[in-house]
Amino acid sequence: FANGSAEQPIIMTSELDEGDIDALNIRGKWGGLVVSGSATLNTQSGFDASEGVVSTYGGGTSPRDDDSSGALTYLQIKYAGFAFSPTNELNSLALQGVGTGTIVDFVQTHNGADDGIEFYGGTVDAKHLLITGTDDDALDWTTGYVGRIQHVLIDSTNTGDNCIEADNLGSNPIATPRSIPTVSNLTCVGSAGMKSSGHAFELKAGTGMLLSNSVIGGVFPADDEGCIRISGED
């Protein structure tokens, strides 16, 4: 449970957070926040190994999709994330197999070294999200995430890769449940300063989304591939 208020948000940050460190492009100064639950994953076992720490998450063959992992409200996560290897990276906020009993509301991630918020399976809903200065993707999901995300502002000015990069399951793109979350009231702002591969959305490995009432604006460096890139045949 990390419950702040609009006037006094909880701030998780680095001890280096003094003065104008944004100008120094400082990221990845601590590991970030990892929350693990017992909701459904579409991996073969229903479990998966956590990135960055030695543990597993998910509900296996008896998942609890209404599982509660607590509440995050009026929370800022700054200068987090860490890359152990190209395939093992901590994000600012990782929600791993988290269920609908969990509250995620009014959360900001800022200047993270990897993704802003990543959903690893599960059913948790998240709303009132602000993602700024992310070095990689702002929103990411995989392994059968089916929750709802709404009221999101992603500002990728001069940094980052995609506003949304998402997968179903790399080893089996048709695994069920499919990663098809409901996304609404999203604003995605791109810029020429993003990475050369930057898109608004990059959807891979069998994923989809139900998108409504959303706006894509700005410039995306990979416009030759389209503002929205869908890769893979499944």
Side-chain angles (χ1 to χ4, degrees):
F1 292 88
N3 300 128
S5 66
E7 295 75 20
Q8 293 184 309
I10 292 174
I11 302 173
M12 297 182 179
T13 189
S14 164
E15 63 183 357
L16 299 177
D17 189 358
E18 296 181 356
D20 186 15
I21 68 171
D22 281 1
L24 302 178
N25 198 30
I26 292 176
R27 291 181 172 84
K29 295 306 177 183
W30 61 287
L33 179 60
V34 179
V35 181
S36 296
S38 300
T40 299
L41 308 180
N42 64 9
T43 59
Q44 186 172 4
S45 66
F47 296 104
D48 205 359
S50 178
E51 293 188 342
V53 294
V54 182
S55 67
T56 58
Y57 61 90
T61 58
S62 301
R64 299 192 301 273
D65 285 341
D66 61 352
D67 186 38
S68 173
S69 294
L72 307 176
T73 59
Y74 292 102
L75 170 66
Q76 294 180 346
I77 302 172
K78 303 168 66 178
Y79 313 111
F82 187 82
F84 295 92
S85 73
T87 58
N88 186 3
E89 301 170 301
L90 287 173
N91 307 293
S92 293
L93 175 59
L95 299 168
Q96 303 183 150
V98 176
T100 56
T102 308
I103 297 172
V104 180
D105 195 6
F106 290 104
V107 174
Q108 178 186 9
T109 68
H110 179 64
N111 275 28
D114 193 44
D115 297 336
I117 303 175
E118 183 159 2
F119 300 84
Y120 296 84
T123 54
V124 65
D125 298 331
K127 60 183 179 178
H128 300 115
L129 308 177
L130 174 60
I131 304 175
T132 53
T134 303
D135 190 45
D136 195 2
D137 306 307
L139 280 179
D140 199 338
W141 61 72
T142 187
T143 55
Y145 172 62
V146 294
R148 298 174 295 179
I149 305 170
Q150 65 173 331
H151 304 303
V152 185
L153 172 59
I154 298 169
D155 185 352
S156 298
T157 302
N158 298 323
T159 187
D161 202 345
N162 303 291
C163 285
I164 294 177
E165 188 272 351
D167 303 85
N168 185 40
L169 184 65
S171 61
N172 180 14
I174 61 172
T176 57
R178 288 258 190 158
S179 296
I180 306 181
T182 299
V183 180
S184 57
N185 305 310
L186 167 76
T187 299
C188 165
V189 181
S191 76
M194 294 172 68
K195 295 178 181 177
S196 60
S197 57
H199 304 83
F201 309 145
E202 184 170 359
L203 307 179
K204 306 183 296 183
T207 191
M209 64 175 164
L210 303 173
L211 179 70
S212 63
N213 197 38
S214 297
V215 176
I216 300 170
V219 176
F220 295 93
D223 275 346
D224 60 322
E225 295 180 342
C227 180
I228 299 172
R229 181 172 186 256
I230 300 175
S231 61
E233 297 179 356
D234 296 313

